[in-house]
Amino acid sequence: MERFEIVSKRVLAERVNEYVVYAPDVARHARAGQFVILRTDDEGERVPFTVCDYDRGAGTVCILVQEVGYTTKKLAEMNAGDRLADFVGPLGNPTDLSGYERILLIGGGIGSAVVYPQAKQLAAEGRPADVIVGARNVSLAVYTEEFKKLARSFTLITDDGSSGKKGFVTDAARELFEAGEKYDCVFAVGPLPMMKAVSALTREFGIPTVVSMNSLMVDGTGMCGCCRLTVGGKVRYACIHGPEFDGHLVDFDEAISRSKMYAADEKRHMCRLTGEVR
């Protein structure tokens, strides 16, 4: 098997694919919370993806990819047996939840891919977490069966009520808090507005909160400054200082504003790459 070869590809939800990649060096050192940066080919852009799972024995790393941009569309066209040009990692700092016993994991949308390895690791350590997963509709919910097996309790919540409870992850979390459930820590991953809302809720209840800031990145070493954010009034870079931070200290308004800065440029770039605009 060639290095960086796609071992398997599985469709988990609408426009969401799971890839298992042969990358023995990455698998040997990977831990929950870290990420990789890949290129589909020698002319491709560098794009970060969270490590969803890994198998040190098989030398494989699992990533989840939602088809939203040029590179993810190219990935969607690749299948088992195809080979990536680069697959660099593990990058970033691994998650450290060692000081907590009662943990609530909250995943929103594709953020469930980041929550999954945490749930797996905590279950293996004999500290199964409660898990809340939110999605716009049932077709976008991922790893639900896996969470049911790993979690102390599992709640699926959808915006449209197509499965599980109707509402938002903050509704489900508030219900648990007000029912008297006590947590040492909440770990939340998902869209920036979701993490902002979760952090506001947990601040209200005085619960320490960790969020994963999956910002745009280029080099993954802190050199490009693309993933800059403000945490506790200080400049931090998600790739080297994170990707996880204290949710009560993150300036989410700034992060949300920065995430939208290049939306128009990205659209024009996409059109040029696909040939729609020359």
Side-chain angles (χ1 to χ4, degrees):
M1 185 177 299
E2 291 189 61
R3 195 174 298 269
F4 308 153
E5 181 178 331
I6 298 173
V7 177
S8 66
K9 175 185 177 183
R10 179 168 63 127
V11 178
L12 291 188
E14 182 183 352
R15 301 169 74 88
V16 178
N17 299 310
E18 178 194 77
Y19 298 84
V20 175
V21 180
Y22 181 66
D25 292 335
V26 180
R28 188 177 302 116
H29 301 285
R31 293 172 62 187
Q34 294 182 295
F35 64 95
V36 298
I37 287 182
L38 65 78
R39 289 192 306 161
T40 55
D41 54 63
D42 291 337
E43 302 299 321
E45 59 184 347
R46 297 164 57 90
V47 183
F49 294 100
T50 298
V51 172
C52 295
D53 204 355
Y54 52 84
D55 186 324
R56 301 197 200 284
T60 58
V61 175
C62 175
I63 60 173
L64 204 62
V65 180
Q66 184 174 30
E67 186 183 339
V68 292
Y70 180 69
T71 293
T72 53
K73 289 180 184 297
K74 292 190 71 174
L75 272 168
E77 297 171 357
M78 300 180 77
N79 295 292
D82 292 335
R83 183 177 176 275
L84 300 169
D86 295 315
F87 195 83
V88 179
L91 300 168
N93 299 298
T95 304
D96 183 9
L97 299 176
S98 59
Y100 307 110
E101 286 299 321
R102 288 285 286 113
I103 299 168
L104 174 63
L105 304 177
I106 303 178
I110 199 72
S112 301
V114 185
V115 168
Y116 172 60
Q118 315 299 337
K120 186 176 181 180
Q121 182 170 313
L122 289 169
E125 295 173 355
R127 297 183 293 148
D130 290 345
V131 178
I132 298 172
V133 165
R136 290 199 306 275
N137 56 65
V138 66
S139 70
L140 295 174
V142 298
Y143 292 132
T144 55
E145 294 305 312
E146 288 86 346
F147 281 127
K148 290 176 183 177
K149 296 175 184 177
L150 295 169
R152 176 176 175 268
S153 70
F154 174 69
T155 302
L156 173 63
I157 191 160
T158 51
D159 294 2
D160 63 359
S162 53
S163 184
K165 296 182 178 181
K166 181 177 181 179
F168 304 104
V169 293
T170 46
D171 298 328
R174 179 179 289 278
E175 188 175 313
L176 289 174
F177 300 159
E178 293 182 344
E181 291 287 351
K182 302 296 182 182
Y183 295 102
D184 302 321
C185 177
V186 169
F187 181 89
V189 189
L192 289 170
M194 185 220 86
M195 291 192 290
K196 177 183 177 182
V198 169
S199 296
L201 175 65
T202 56
R203 184 184 293 109
E204 177 185 337
F205 284 86
I207 306 171
T209 300
V210 178
V211 296
S212 183
M213 302 298 289
N214 299 297
S215 312
L216 290 172
M217 298 179 189
V218 177
D219 59 37
T221 65
M223 296 293 288
C224 72
C226 190
C227 62
R228 177 174 63 82
L229 66 154
T230 302
V231 182
K234 298 179 180 179
V235 172
R236 289 292 181 262
Y237 298 95
C239 64
I240 57 172
H241 297 122
E244 294 162 8
F245 298 93
D246 183 334
H248 296 161
L249 298 180
V250 172
D251 185 336
F252 281 105
D253 291 334
E254 178 191 65
I256 291 170
S257 177
R258 281 179 58 81
S259 73
K260 298 176 180 178
M261 283 179 65
Y262 299 104
D265 300 275
E266 288 176 334
K267 185 176 181 180
R268 287 194 296 271
H269 180 61
M270 179 72 173
C271 289
R272 291 192 182 95
L273 287 170
T274 58
E276 296 174 48
V277 173
R278 298 184 184 278

